Short mmCIF file of all heavy atoms in Angstrom, two decimals:
data_model
loop_
_atom_site.label_atom_id
_atom_site.label_comp_id
_atom_site.label_asym_id
_atom_site.label_seq_id
_atom_site.Cartn_x
_atom_site.Cartn_y
_atom_site.Cartn_z
N LEU A 33 -6.71 1.06 -2.34
CA LEU A 33 -5.76 0.08 -1.83
C LEU A 33 -5.53 0.25 -0.33
O LEU A 33 -5.41 -0.74 0.40
CB LEU A 33 -4.43 0.21 -2.58
CG LEU A 33 -4.42 -0.26 -4.04
CD1 LEU A 33 -3.10 0.09 -4.71
CD2 LEU A 33 -4.66 -1.76 -4.12
N ALA A 34 -5.46 1.49 0.13
CA ALA A 34 -5.27 1.73 1.56
C ALA A 34 -6.47 1.23 2.36
O ALA A 34 -6.31 0.59 3.41
CB ALA A 34 -5.04 3.22 1.82
N ILE A 35 -7.66 1.49 1.86
CA ILE A 35 -8.86 1.02 2.55
C ILE A 35 -8.93 -0.51 2.51
O ILE A 35 -9.29 -1.15 3.50
CB ILE A 35 -10.12 1.64 1.92
CG1 ILE A 35 -10.13 3.16 2.17
CG2 ILE A 35 -11.39 1.00 2.46
CD1 ILE A 35 -11.27 3.89 1.50
N PHE A 36 -8.56 -1.10 1.38
CA PHE A 36 -8.55 -2.56 1.26
C PHE A 36 -7.57 -3.18 2.24
O PHE A 36 -7.87 -4.18 2.91
CB PHE A 36 -8.20 -2.95 -0.18
CG PHE A 36 -8.05 -4.42 -0.39
CD1 PHE A 36 -9.15 -5.27 -0.36
CD2 PHE A 36 -6.80 -4.98 -0.63
CE1 PHE A 36 -9.01 -6.63 -0.56
CE2 PHE A 36 -6.65 -6.33 -0.84
CZ PHE A 36 -7.76 -7.17 -0.80
N ALA A 37 -6.36 -2.59 2.33
CA ALA A 37 -5.35 -3.11 3.26
C ALA A 37 -5.83 -3.00 4.70
O ALA A 37 -5.68 -3.93 5.50
CB ALA A 37 -4.04 -2.34 3.08
N GLY A 38 -6.40 -1.84 5.05
CA GLY A 38 -6.92 -1.68 6.41
C GLY A 38 -8.05 -2.65 6.72
O GLY A 38 -8.13 -3.19 7.83
N LEU A 39 -8.91 -2.90 5.73
CA LEU A 39 -10.01 -3.84 5.93
C LEU A 39 -9.49 -5.26 6.18
O LEU A 39 -10.01 -5.98 7.04
CB LEU A 39 -10.93 -3.82 4.71
CG LEU A 39 -12.16 -4.73 4.77
CD1 LEU A 39 -13.06 -4.34 5.93
CD2 LEU A 39 -12.93 -4.67 3.45
N LEU A 40 -8.46 -5.66 5.44
CA LEU A 40 -7.87 -6.98 5.66
C LEU A 40 -7.29 -7.10 7.06
O LEU A 40 -7.39 -8.15 7.71
CB LEU A 40 -6.79 -7.25 4.61
CG LEU A 40 -7.25 -7.54 3.19
CD1 LEU A 40 -6.05 -7.76 2.27
CD2 LEU A 40 -8.16 -8.76 3.15
N MET A 41 -6.65 -6.02 7.54
CA MET A 41 -6.10 -6.04 8.90
C MET A 41 -7.20 -6.21 9.93
O MET A 41 -7.06 -6.97 10.90
CB MET A 41 -5.32 -4.75 9.17
CG MET A 41 -4.07 -4.58 8.35
SD MET A 41 -3.24 -3.02 8.74
CE MET A 41 -2.04 -2.93 7.41
N VAL A 42 -8.30 -5.49 9.74
CA VAL A 42 -9.41 -5.58 10.68
C VAL A 42 -10.00 -6.98 10.68
O VAL A 42 -10.26 -7.57 11.75
CB VAL A 42 -10.50 -4.54 10.33
CG1 VAL A 42 -11.75 -4.75 11.18
CG2 VAL A 42 -9.97 -3.12 10.53
N VAL A 43 -10.21 -7.56 9.49
CA VAL A 43 -10.76 -8.91 9.39
C VAL A 43 -9.82 -9.93 10.03
O VAL A 43 -10.26 -10.83 10.77
CB VAL A 43 -11.03 -9.27 7.92
CG1 VAL A 43 -11.44 -10.74 7.78
CG2 VAL A 43 -12.13 -8.39 7.35
N PHE A 44 -8.52 -9.79 9.78
CA PHE A 44 -7.56 -10.71 10.36
C PHE A 44 -7.54 -10.58 11.89
O PHE A 44 -7.44 -11.59 12.60
CB PHE A 44 -6.16 -10.45 9.80
CG PHE A 44 -5.13 -11.45 10.23
CD1 PHE A 44 -5.02 -12.67 9.58
CD2 PHE A 44 -4.29 -11.19 11.29
CE1 PHE A 44 -4.07 -13.60 9.97
CE2 PHE A 44 -3.34 -12.11 11.69
CZ PHE A 44 -3.24 -13.33 11.03
N GLY A 45 -7.63 -9.34 12.39
CA GLY A 45 -7.67 -9.14 13.83
C GLY A 45 -8.90 -9.76 14.47
O GLY A 45 -8.81 -10.40 15.53
N LEU A 46 -10.04 -9.60 13.83
CA LEU A 46 -11.27 -10.20 14.35
C LEU A 46 -11.18 -11.73 14.35
O LEU A 46 -11.64 -12.39 15.28
CB LEU A 46 -12.47 -9.75 13.52
CG LEU A 46 -12.85 -8.27 13.61
CD1 LEU A 46 -13.93 -7.93 12.60
CD2 LEU A 46 -13.31 -7.91 15.02
N ASN A 47 -10.55 -12.28 13.30
CA ASN A 47 -10.38 -13.73 13.23
C ASN A 47 -9.38 -14.22 14.28
O ASN A 47 -9.57 -15.28 14.89
CB ASN A 47 -9.92 -14.12 11.84
CG ASN A 47 -9.63 -15.60 11.70
OD1 ASN A 47 -8.47 -16.01 11.63
ND2 ASN A 47 -10.67 -16.41 11.67
N LEU A 48 -8.33 -13.43 14.50
CA LEU A 48 -7.32 -13.81 15.49
C LEU A 48 -7.91 -13.86 16.89
O LEU A 48 -7.55 -14.72 17.70
CB LEU A 48 -6.15 -12.82 15.44
CG LEU A 48 -4.96 -13.09 16.36
CD1 LEU A 48 -4.28 -14.40 15.99
CD2 LEU A 48 -3.96 -11.94 16.29
N ALA A 49 -8.82 -12.95 17.18
CA ALA A 49 -9.45 -12.91 18.50
C ALA A 49 -10.56 -13.94 18.64
O ALA A 49 -11.09 -14.14 19.74
CB ALA A 49 -10.01 -11.52 18.77
N GLY A 50 -10.94 -14.58 17.54
CA GLY A 50 -12.02 -15.56 17.59
C GLY A 50 -13.39 -14.97 17.48
O GLY A 50 -14.39 -15.63 17.78
N TRP A 51 -13.48 -13.71 17.05
CA TRP A 51 -14.77 -13.03 16.93
C TRP A 51 -15.36 -13.15 15.53
O TRP A 51 -16.49 -12.72 15.31
CB TRP A 51 -14.60 -11.55 17.30
CG TRP A 51 -14.13 -11.36 18.70
CD1 TRP A 51 -14.42 -12.14 19.78
CD2 TRP A 51 -13.27 -10.31 19.19
NE1 TRP A 51 -13.81 -11.65 20.91
CE2 TRP A 51 -13.10 -10.53 20.58
CE3 TRP A 51 -12.64 -9.21 18.60
CZ2 TRP A 51 -12.33 -9.69 21.37
CZ3 TRP A 51 -11.87 -8.38 19.39
CH2 TRP A 51 -11.72 -8.62 20.76
N LEU A 52 -14.60 -13.66 14.58
CA LEU A 52 -15.08 -13.76 13.20
C LEU A 52 -14.39 -14.94 12.53
O LEU A 52 -13.17 -15.10 12.65
CB LEU A 52 -14.78 -12.47 12.42
CG LEU A 52 -15.18 -12.44 10.94
CD1 LEU A 52 -16.71 -12.44 10.82
CD2 LEU A 52 -14.57 -11.23 10.25
N ALA A 53 -15.18 -15.75 11.84
CA ALA A 53 -14.59 -16.86 11.08
C ALA A 53 -13.86 -16.31 9.86
O ALA A 53 -14.23 -15.27 9.31
CB ALA A 53 -15.70 -17.83 10.65
N ASP A 54 -12.81 -17.00 9.47
CA ASP A 54 -12.02 -16.57 8.32
C ASP A 54 -12.87 -16.67 7.05
O ASP A 54 -13.22 -17.77 6.61
CB ASP A 54 -10.77 -17.44 8.20
CG ASP A 54 -9.78 -16.87 7.18
OD1 ASP A 54 -10.17 -15.99 6.40
OD2 ASP A 54 -8.63 -17.33 7.16
#
Side-chain angles (χ1 to χ4, degrees):
L33 289 173
I35 294 176
F36 175 71
L39 181 61
L40 287 179
M41 293 180 192
V42 172
V43 173
F44 186 82
L46 293 173
N47 176 254
L48 183 64
W51 299 328
L52 178 69
D54 191 346

